[in-house]
Amino acid sequence: MKGFDTNLRLQASSRELSNGFLHKRQNFINLNLRNCYYPRSSFSPTMLKLFTSSASRVQHLTPAIRVGSSPVESPLFKALSQITGWNRRSGSLGHRAFFCSEPTDGEAAAEAEAKAVESDSEGSDSKSSSAIVSTNPRPEDCLTVLALPVPHRPLFPGFYMPIYVKDPKVLAALQESRRRQAPYAGAFLLKDGPSADSSSSTDAEKNINELKGKELLNRLHEVGTLAQISSIQGDQVILVGHRRLRITEMVSEEPLTVKVDHLKDNPFDMDDDVIKATSFEVISTLRDVLKTSSLWRDHVQTYTQHIGDFTYPRLADFGAAICGANRHQAQEVLEELDVHKRLRLTLELMKKEMEISKIQESIAKAIEEKISGEQRRYLLNEQLKAIKKELGVETDDKSALSAKFKERIEPNKEKIPAHVLQVIEEELTKLQLLEASSSEFNVTRNYLDWLTILPWGNYSDENFDVVGAQKILDEDHYGLSDVKERILEFIAVGRLRGTSQGKIICLSGPPGVGKTSIGRSIARALNRKFFRFSVGGLGDVAEIKGHRRTYVGAMPGKMVQCLKSVGTANPLVLIDEIDKLGRGHAGDPASALLELLDPEQNANFLDHYLDVTIDLSKVLFVCTANVIDMIPNPLLDRMEVISIAGYITDEKVHIARDYLEKTARGDCGVKPEQVEVSDAALLSLIENYCREAGVRNLQKQIEKIYRKIALKLVREGAVAEEPAVAIDPEEAEIVADVGESPENHTVEENPVSSAEEPKEAAQTEKIAIEKVMIDESNLADYVGKPVFHEEKLYEQTPVGVVMGLAWTSMGGSTLYIETTVVEEGEGKGGLNITGQLGDVMKESAQIAHTVARKIMLEKEPENQFFANSKLHLHVPAGATPKDGPSAGCTMITSLLSLATKKPVRKDLAMTGEVTLTGRILPIGGVKEKTIAARRSQIKTIIFPEANRRDFDELAENVKEGLDVHFVDDYGKIFELAFGYDKQED
Ligand code: ADP
């Protein structure tokens, strides 16, 4: 029953030894043990079987322990060493120490204990005090021991524990007992140890050191461990646990010495199934934990190296000692003398530990996975980038993209509203997370593109110089004084206030009067960027408010597009054709436009795509419309309407001379000295070709003339260059033409051109001296035959024909109203109406018929004309849309002229609606009508009295030379139209 001498060098890290007692230190403990005893009865047959099955694979392990006479590995030791991977051969250890003094069967145990810790000083590596000293008295003889307080955990039999002894008396006593070859003391756990808080833990330790005698005794748990003093180095004492003790009484106070009882485990049945099962469970739990926890593995390694014996009670102690159970639970295990209960307690602690180690493992795993996953991703991404670069398919790579966006917003970051900046930042983060190939990535990229490119808070410096602005406006447009005046007012207000507010100006008038071009000119005068968009026929609200980003191909609305394209937040936006706004199938474009234009709302305009509000309050809106009536009322309410009526001939001449000709000439590359259009030609062009209110057609005609002149000049130049034989017959004709009318085309033949001069010089010189003259006589050569025949059909209107004045979206015009008798006969009275009249005009005709009849009854009661004549009223001029309340009095006059068989006064035109009682109602478009009347060489005009003010406001040159009468009752018109002969008489 003998082991063999063991010369053991143990290297234990501080962690293994003390669960944190010896920090940053390594202890070398030399153990020299002889006669290690190993009791056969430590193993139950089942245990053996269990472990040998797993141990059979570890054939290389040197048999080191003998059970009885044959060297047999401890099966549990095998099992555990297999797990810990500890290989005795590779390690420096050939033998194990066994400290246990607590065998399970009686006398054998006594013998074992007697020899357990005999030391052999010769075999130790050094002669220092760290060697285990051989002891004379057997441990079980120690009935009076020094009581050492252990602060953190109880000392379990078979385990090392370093403690610090501050009390010199105690230390001396310990040294003394070592010297007396009885190196034993009792280690007792303090009832409440130092708190976890590190700063106060030193205080607590200090307190423990100060405790003496009874006081200290009261603080100690009764049950402790008999500890062999393995070494003393300074104040550090290394204890090795032996067996359980219980304090019975105090012997002396300083140092605290107590009498103890040695505790023995309750007897138990080795073959008890429950105990066996519990211990197996402990072992298997231990195995599981060992797989995961390296800390435990170290413990097992150390333990198996030195103890190597696992009886049931020892197994329980081992489990409790190495797991992280708290002091109270550990003390509970120490105090438990029932082996089964102790195993159960340990099992509980270990299971808990295992759960913790599982959690720990999963935490570690998750973190590791995350790190390695990210690294992998990064690597792959880098590779992908490199591949893409190599293949030349490198698209916008994410970081470059966000760098681009960041760079964009950087210069005026402080001007960007906070809510927008926040969205931009959120989207930038999102961009980083999205897969570059995903559709959402594209959506986000486009969105960011829009968000970052808008001119947040970036305003162009406004011009508040009234004189300068006036100059610019005059430069671009002739006349239009009210528009210009209004713009100058706007500038003046801006100057006084220091800032200019966005406003809505609505320019209304017929086509070609310069609404759009004045808009552009205003922008120039104000030094604002110009943006134009037409809402004619617009039916989709999304055009104004944008699509939601979720739609495929979603786009922001026009206003956001505008801001992007102009790059300033205070442009002038021209909304064209606002009167032709379409009807939306989904949503009302007019309301959307209202939101855009309304100064109350547009400081926080929300575009569906952009999803952040933008400030449009600094934008100057200018709308254009042909007819005010067609503008939705809520919109009209918020506008300041300036109407441009159209131009009279005189104005047109100016416009043509000073503006249109210049641009046309420039556009065609003709020099001013090369051409001359006479006043007569221009007048004829205006009167006979371009009678409409605006000047667009006039502009076209002038451009046409200049194009033809350009061709002519080039051809003539070519003729001069080429030798005579090569002349194209057609060109020859033109040359001949030119020759025939020298007053129109002055072509001064260059006498040197035919000579041997260099061609280029000849050509320039030749073109320089040519001059094309355009006069009334050759105007038709350039613009064709006049399209307008005389609007005045009659020199003197016959009976039943009267000239009316109409006003349409194309401007003012004159039109004849004709009436004739279809048949006569008693009771045949009636009225036919033709001329594509609208409902209003048809009703006007009926009313006119009634009123005329009434007047006739008053003037010539015996006249039965209306009663007996079937009449036909016709309004010619087929192309003019004819509906509106202003032809009433013209119709009555026409009917009365027929009834009285008297023609109306020469060169008379009239306009106005009549009620059934003969009152005249006001009309619209006084200026347009006046201009139209002038064009038709009308001398006398009759307007409703209510329109007198409108007429008075007209420019002098429009009113000049006209005989205008204002009437409020039809009687007056009757007199004016038919009473002339009386006046003349
Ligand atoms: P609108 O928008 O009213 O239909 P535009 O603005 O397109 O008309 O004008 C047509 C052309 O007539 C433009 O080239 C413009 O320069 C010219 N024009 C119109 N009115 C004037 C004016 N008062 N002075 C100079 N040019 C004019």
Side-chain angles (χ1 to χ4, degrees), residues 19-88:
N19 274 343
F21 249 69
L22 293 178
H23 295 290
K24 297 174 193 143
R25 288 188 64 171
Q26 290 214 315
N27 295 305
F28 291 86
I29 302 164
N30 294 304
L31 301 175
N32 199 342
L33 304 177
R34 192 184 285 164
N35 296 330
C36 279
Y37 170 74
Y38 206 88
R40 182 193 281 273
S41 56
S42 300
F43 300 98
S44 72
T46 338
M47 241 170 134
L48 274 171
K49 216 161 109 198
L50 172 81
F51 290 130
T52 39
S53 65
S54 55
S56 62
R57 273 174 280 139
V58 204
Q59 293 302 328
H60 61 271
L61 289 175
T62 321
I65 303 282
R66 288 158 206 253
V67 176
S69 54
S70 63
V72 166
E73 279 282 331
S74 155
L76 178 58
F77 168 73
K78 271 189 188 174
L80 293 175
S81 52
Q82 190 185 0
I83 299 159
T84 58
W86 178 69
N87 183 339
R88 197 171 306 136

Side-chain angles (χ1 to χ4, degrees), residues 848-901:
H849 194 222
T850 312
V851 176
R853 210 164 160 174
K854 198 183 100 194
I855 291 170
M856 209 54 205
L857 210 64
E858 283 167 16
K859 303 255 179 218
E860 300 173 26
E862 68 289 349
N863 191 329
Q864 291 297 301
F865 176 77
F866 285 113
N868 297 335
S869 324
K870 185 168 173 77
L871 305 176
H872 182 167
L873 184 142
H874 178 61
V875 187
T880 325
K882 281 161 282 187
D883 200 23
S886 71
C889 55
T890 323
M891 287 174 179
I892 299 172
T893 315
S894 157
L895 289 166
L896 289 177
S897 160
L898 198 66
T900 55
K901 299 195 171 51

Side-chain angles (χ1 to χ4, degrees), residues 476-478 511-517 647 655 659 695-696 699:
D476 294 346
H477 290 87
Y478 173 84
V513 292
K515 299 183 296 294
T516 312
S517 67
Y647 301 108
I655 294 172
Y659 299 87
V695 291
R696 187 170 292 130
Q699 186 182 25

Side-chain angles (χ1 to χ4, degrees), residues 194-367:
S195 72
D197 188 0
S198 61
S199 66
S200 60
S201 87
T202 46
D203 297 350
E205 255 166 55
K206 223 182 272 165
N207 289 341
I208 293 162
N209 294 327
E210 281 162 15
L211 287 177
K212 298 265 150 55
K214 262 236 158 61
E215 230 181 325
L216 178 61
L217 185 69
N218 290 339
R219 292 277 306 273
L220 297 178
H221 278 281
E222 244 177 36
V223 176
T225 320
L226 180 71
Q228 185 187 352
I229 302 148
S230 147
S231 78
I232 302 174
Q233 275 179 338
D235 61 350
Q236 189 196 67
V237 178
I238 302 220
L239 304 175
V240 184
H242 265 263
R243 42 167 60 202
R244 288 167 163 79
L245 296 175
R246 172 174 281 127
I247 300 173
T248 49
E249 61 183 280
M250 191 171 80
V251 177
S252 77
E253 289 212 17
E254 257 201 276
L256 180 66
T257 316
V258 289
K259 270 204 172 141
V260 288
D261 271 355
H262 287 236
L263 299 177
K264 285 204 166 151
D265 292 336
N266 296 346
F268 65 96
D269 179 7
M270 288 269 283
D271 294 326
D272 185 275
D273 287 344
V274 181
I275 293 184
K276 255 190 244 170
T278 317
S279 69
F280 291 160
E281 186 55 29
V282 171
I283 290 163
S284 88
T285 313
L286 202 57
R287 290 181 62 143
D288 286 346
V289 182
L290 287 177
K291 271 185 213 153
T292 58
S293 166
S294 58
L295 200 68
W296 280 43
R297 226 171 289 160
D298 294 343
H299 276 305
V300 173
Q301 201 168 327
T302 317
Y303 191 85
T304 47
Q305 277 165 26
H306 308 303
I307 316 298
D309 169 29
F310 284 104
T311 58
Y312 293 140
R314 194 156 297 284
L315 188 63
D317 285 350
F318 176 75
I322 65 168
C323 74
N326 67 33
R327 47 194 290 128
H328 299 295
Q329 287 168 317
Q331 179 69 24
E332 222 180 304
V333 175
L334 188 71
E335 285 176 14
E336 187 55 68
L337 297 179
D338 183 297
V339 174
H340 174 234
K341 280 187 188 159
R342 196 191 294 168
L343 275 171
R344 277 203 63 114
L345 279 172
T346 301
L347 188 57
E348 255 173 56
L349 296 181
M350 292 185 65
K351 287 279 181 197
K352 211 185 273 174
E353 182 74 5
M354 199 168 96
E355 284 312 309
I356 292 171
S357 84
K358 266 188 201 160
I359 294 171
Q360 176 201 345
E361 192 186 19
S362 71
I363 290 172
K365 207 168 161 191
I367 288 174

Side-chain angles (χ1 to χ4, degrees), residues 530-546:
F530 178 79
F531 184 82
R532 167 183 177 270
F533 74 93
S534 175
V535 293
L538 182 138
D540 190 357
V541 175
E543 286 279 325
I544 296 166
K545 295 266 297 170

Side-chain angles (χ1 to χ4, degrees), residues 476-481 483-484 507-519 576 624-627 642-648 651-652 655 660 691-699 807-812 927-928 931 935:
D476 294 346
H477 290 87
Y478 173 84
L480 300 176
S481 49
V483 187
K484 290 177 183 171
L507 300 171
S508 82
V513 292
K515 299 183 296 294
T516 312
S517 67
I518 191 102
D576 238 346
T624 75
N626 290 137
V627 196
I642 302 174
S643 53
I644 306 174
Y647 301 108
I648 56 169
E651 287 172 323
K652 281 187 187 173
I655 294 172
L660 305 181
R691 286 218 191 133
E692 75 289 328
V695 291
R696 187 170 292 130
N697 191 28
L698 181 61
Q699 186 182 25
W807 177 42
T808 67
S809 64
M810 305 293 288
K927 187 177 178 191
E928 289 83 349
I931 292 167
R935 272 204 300 268

